[in-house]
Amino acid sequence: MKLDASFSLLLPVYLVFRLIKIIEELCVFLKFFTTITFVIYSFLSFYSSISLADPKRPFPQHVSYASGTIYPSNFSQAQQDQHVRNFYDYWKSHYLVSAGTNSAGKILYRVAFGQGSDVTVSEGQGYGMVIVALMAGHDPDAQNLFDGLWYFSREFPSGIDGRLMSWKIQNGSIVGRNDSAFDGDVDIAYGLLLAHEQWGSAGDLNYQAEAAQVIDGILASTIGADSLLPKLGDWTDDSGSRYNQYTPRSSDFMPAHFHAFARATGDAVWNNIVINSQAVIDSIQNNYSSSTGLLPDFIINCQSVDNCRPANESFLEGPNDGDYYYNAGRAPWRIGLDALLNDDVQSRAEAQKMISWLAVSTNSNANNIKAGYKLDGSAIGDYSTTFFAAPFAVAAMLDGSQQDFLNEIYTYIHNETEDYYEDSINLLALLAVTANYWNPATDICRRDIQRDSAWRVVEIYTATLGYAPDNEGLQYWVNNLQNGSWTPNDVAQSFFDGPLVQEMYPIDQGYGSFIDSLYQNLFGRAPDEAGYAYWLAELNSGHVQRNQMIIALIEGGWANAEAASDMERFGYRVQVGLAFAAEQARRGIVYSQLTTAKQEKLRFLGAQVLEMITVDSSACDTAVGNISRLLDTL
């Protein structure tokens, strides 16, 4: 076709015109897209800032467990931390799955009963809540995941006690009996306590209040009224003919959790539950497994603790109900945790019985740990699995003679993956073995103030120096107070007799900096003008000595209602100072045996641990949680 000459002339003009229009439309689109992108980004940034709290105890924590604890020595701490990160990432990618939203639009998460499984059990949901709370700091989305796990549990409450979770969910519906399983709810409550310590309870979820509700439900519906022992679930009647308050599952003896509940609620009944649980464990170990210390999956006839005995086969789940099998296999971990975290002597002895037998039975070879045992120690399964090995690693930490065996077990479990149940227990054990499993609801920052000798010395130490004490010095001054040799004024004066304080407050430079420091150390603020003038005049005139001023300010602060907020902060500083000294004692740190450089470093760490303390108890919790990590750097 031949083009008309006029059209040929107009074609370039037309094309240029269309190109200009396209560019204009593209610019409008890009401007709109840029605006929308900015709005979305701004919204998401704002949403994240208001919905997520920074973790107060971020992974890794490097907790200092009870005195005498051993740790794997065949890998460095940094390597162990990375092992846990790697295992968590694997566990999360295989078992932690999104489950839609609830009616309020909250995203739900569940722990799948195996990769791709549409089943979730309350036990797994509890494991997940504990794991995710402990891994905050590594996982930036931990709080959202935790909240989703909690919201999922609330979508499926038990039909008997709605404060508890129904034990089995499949494809979004409750399966079978709509009732609870003890251990799932106990881990859920423990996870909520961890969340309160980790993120605080001032956000979308009041973790502390939710924990209290679940703990109340556990006590009301799953603890025997007379036995004070764990029941199998809220479906168990106290006086049932077959299942009752005297037929516990051994893996439900969770003394570390019970101790945490006692601290969180202030209800001493939880301490009695620990005592009764330990009595049953001791009875079985003495009467049925004296050579092995192993526990059966289920125990019956505990109306009298001396009459407790292993359940018969097929009591509830199968032919091995009276053996050390896939329930009881968790016992060395559950019991061992209590010894690690709470230094419970009885829990330590119970776990040590098991690991002592196992070391001999396997020749300290982790690959020889079998899948289940009769109580006499004869193997049931002729294969190995991390489910049985990992809990024994926790028990091995309690026996200094088991260092080689602990290293063997750790080598076996640290990167061995299997399935949901095994991997969840393994990850929880790895968190404990690598010193990254910590205690929620510690009472250090909430205990009633008792101004005993140690407290009084730390008051003087903190007010004068502004940092937490070294334990050796603390004990020296405490001993002098307790034996009547010195008064608090004498203790305060002894500080000024030493070179550190003389260098800090040189007498030839006047008293101004001393007054300023004292007010900052005690009250967290500068002195008011009138107060400054008064104390300066008193010191300059010689009417008051510096040691007397320290005691006067401390006593005046406690007596003055208007200074209550200042003294609350000071009280937290004293509590943290006591904890700082206690951790030194646990580690065997003796100030006079340190090099000059390390003495200076210890003083620096003592100042660092106090610097962020406010009138908020959670700041005190954070400081206590940081003590171990700080002393790791000494």
Side-chain angles (χ1 to χ4, degrees):
M1 180 176 68
K2 186 177 180 180
L3 293 174
D4 185 309
S6 62
F7 181 79
S8 299
L9 293 172
L10 290 173
L11 182 58
V13 176
Y14 172 78
L15 292 175
V16 170
F17 175 78
R18 287 303 302 155
L19 180 61
I20 292 171
K21 293 297 292 182
I22 290 171
I23 291 172
E24 287 177 346
E25 290 170 358
L26 182 61
C27 288
V28 170
F29 172 78
L30 288 173
K31 182 178 180 181
F32 173 77
F33 178 80
T34 302
T35 302
I36 289 298
T37 302
F38 176 78
V39 170
I40 292 172
Y41 178 81
S42 300
F43 172 77
L44 290 175
S45 298
F46 174 72
Y47 177 78
S48 296
S49 69
I50 62 172
S51 63
L52 296 180
D54 290 334
K56 298 171 184 174
R57 301 193 66 172
F59 179 90
Q61 275 293 291
H62 303 163
V63 178
S64 181
Y65 295 139
S67 178
T69 299
I70 60 173
Y71 303 85
S73 60
N74 50 338
F75 293 93
S76 70
Q77 182 67 66
Q79 288 174 314
Q80 293 176 44
D81 293 340
Q82 191 58 46
H83 295 158
V84 176
R85 293 186 188 98
N86 294 343
F87 206 103
Y88 170 77
D89 291 343
Y90 174 90
W91 176 89
K92 176 183 173 182
S93 68
H94 281 68
Y95 311 119
L96 188 56
V97 296
S98 176
T101 60
N102 63 13
S103 59
K106 302 293 186 181
I107 297 176
L108 308 177
Y109 290 96
R110 66 182 182 88
V111 175
F113 197 72
Q115 187 174 19
S117 173
D118 63 358
V119 172
T120 287
V121 292
S122 61
E123 157 204 275
Q125 211 69 1
Y127 293 156
M129 289 172 69
V130 172
I131 289 168
V132 170
L134 293 174
M135 292 304 299
H138 165 63
D139 189 340
D141 201 33
Q143 189 176 9
N144 279 335
L145 295 173
F146 182 93
D147 291 356
L149 289 165
W150 166 246
Y151 287 132
F152 182 89
S153 76
R154 288 295 78 212
E155 287 295 292
F156 303 100
S158 168
I160 297 174
D161 189 325
R163 294 168 291 189
L164 310 178
M165 181 180 173
S166 192
W167 84 276
K168 186 176 183 180
I169 315 300
Q170 184 168 18
N171 197 25
S173 299
I174 293 171
V175 176
R177 305 186 320 260
N178 182 10
D179 49 36
S180 78
F182 182 85
D183 61 334
D185 294 304
V186 174
D187 274 325
I188 286 171
Y190 193 85
L192 287 163
L193 292 178
L194 289 171
H196 170 65
E197 301 286 334
Q198 190 68 278
W199 299 296
S201 291
D204 291 343
L205 276 173
N206 187 329
Y207 303 116
Q208 188 174 38
E210 300 289 5
Q213 285 275 15
V214 179
I215 292 169
D216 285 347
I218 294 167
L219 183 60
S221 298
T222 63
I223 294 292
D226 299 316
S227 69
L228 293 184
L229 293 172
K231 298 193 294 186
L232 300 173
D234 61 1
W235 56 273
T236 308
D237 188 287
D238 274 4
S239 303
S241 59
R242 183 174 180 85
Y243 311 114
N244 52 59
Q245 63 178 312
Y246 303 106
T247 58
R249 179 189 287 107
S250 63
S251 56
D252 290 343
F253 295 140
M254 300 157 71
H257 289 45
F258 301 159
H259 276 133
F261 295 172
R263 291 190 299 268
T265 64
D267 191 342
V269 70
W270 289 104
N271 293 325
N272 292 330
I273 293 167
V274 171
I275 291 170
N276 286 14
S277 298
Q278 290 174 332
V280 173
I281 294 169
D282 288 347
S283 177
I284 293 295
Q285 288 186 328
N286 292 334
N287 297 325
Y288 292 93
S289 60
S290 58
S291 62
T292 66
L294 299 175
L295 302 177
D297 275 10
F298 298 95
I299 301 168
I300 62 174
N301 292 2
C302 286
Q303 287 85 347
S304 169
V305 70
D306 292 333
N307 292 333
C308 291
R309 68 176 182 85
N312 299 321
E313 65 178 46
S314 300
F315 168 73
L316 180 64
E317 294 185 2
N320 298 112
D321 283 356
D323 302 321
Y324 182 83
Y325 208 51
Y326 274 90
N327 283 295
R330 295 171 284 186
W333 157 58
R334 293 293 197 191
I335 297 169
L337 267 181
D338 189 42
L340 293 176
L341 295 173
N342 301 308
D343 202 12
D344 189 286
V345 174
Q346 198 162 344
S347 289
R348 176 184 292 271
E350 291 163 352
Q352 283 177 333
K353 287 180 182 178
M354 301 185 216
I355 195 64
S356 295
W357 162 78
L358 186 72
V360 174
S361 173
T362 62
N363 196 28
S364 296
N365 186 335
N367 292 310
N368 291 336
I369 300 173
K370 299 303 182 183
Y373 294 92
K374 299 292 184 180
L375 297 192
D376 64 6
S378 55
I380 295 174
D382 189 23
Y383 60 94
S384 298
T385 164
T386 57
F387 171 78
F388 286 98
F392 279 122
V394 179
M397 298 174 74
L398 303 168
D399 187 341
S401 68
Q402 303 297 343
Q403 185 68 65
D404 290 342
F405 195 21
L406 172 60
N407 290 349
E408 277 271 328
I409 300 174
Y410 185 81
T411 299
Y412 169 42
I413 68 174
H414 80 272
N415 62 357
E416 182 76 13
T417 58
E418 297 181 22
D419 206 344
Y420 144 76
Y421 189 47
E422 296 86 349
D423 290 349
S424 297
I425 298 301
N426 195 2
L427 178 51
L428 286 160
L430 285 171
L431 281 160
V433 173
T434 61
N436 287 302
Y437 197 117
W438 44 270
N439 230 348
T442 53
D443 57 359
I444 289 173
C445 298
R446 293 166 185 80
R447 61 177 58 143
D448 292 336
I449 292 175
Q450 296 181 350
R451 296 183 68 207
D452 56 13
S453 297
W455 180 283
R456 299 291 294 274
V457 170
V458 177
E459 284 182 338
I460 298 167
Y461 199 114
T462 306
T464 306
L465 297 171
Y467 51 81
D470 71 276
N471 183 63
E472 183 183 22
L474 172 62
Q475 297 309 317
Y476 168 75
W477 286 301
V478 167
N479 291 338
N480 279 294
L481 270 183
Q482 289 180 339
N483 65 25
S485 300
W486 288 3
T487 67
N489 266 313
D490 296 326
V491 173
Q493 179 55 47
S494 72
F495 280 84
F496 292 98
D497 295 336
L500 281 176
V501 177
Q502 289 174 3
E503 182 180 344
M504 186 179 291
Y505 305 119
I507 194 66
D508 59 354
Q509 293 184 16
Y511 298 110
S513 64
F514 170 69
I515 296 171
D516 287 337
S517 294
L518 206 57
Y519 267 78
Q520 284 292 344
N521 295 340
L522 259 168
F523 307 128
R525 58 177 174 82
D528 58 279
E529 188 175 337
Y532 181 87
Y534 169 80
W535 287 113
L536 186 61
E538 289 293 290
L539 290 168
N540 280 330
S541 68
H543 291 159
V544 172
Q545 302 301 313
R546 287 179 295 180
N547 64 315
Q548 295 171 320
M549 179 185 169
I550 292 170
I551 302 302
L553 271 185
I554 292 172
E555 297 302 328
W558 290 120
N560 183 4
E562 294 182 0
S565 180
D566 290 339
M567 296 308 289
E568 183 176 18
R569 171 185 173 275
F570 183 63
Y572 289 143
R573 287 166 69 85
V574 174
Q575 300 279 30
V576 172
L578 288 165
F580 187 72
E583 183 59 23
Q584 293 171 58
R586 178 171 292 184
R587 291 172 179 240
I589 297 172
V590 180
Y591 183 83
S592 63
Q593 295 176 4
L594 299 177
T595 64
T596 301
K598 287 196 172 185
Q599 288 178 347
E600 184 177 348
K601 179 67 177 290
L602 184 62
R603 296 195 298 271
F604 170 77
L605 296 177
Q608 195 173 0
V609 78
L610 297 184
E611 65 184 9
M612 298 303 292
I613 292 178
T614 67
V615 295
D616 185 353
S617 64
S618 65
C620 177
D621 293 332
T622 301
V624 171
N626 284 336
I627 289 173
S628 180
R629 282 200 299 166
L630 290 173
L631 289 176
D632 283 345
T633 68
L634 184 64

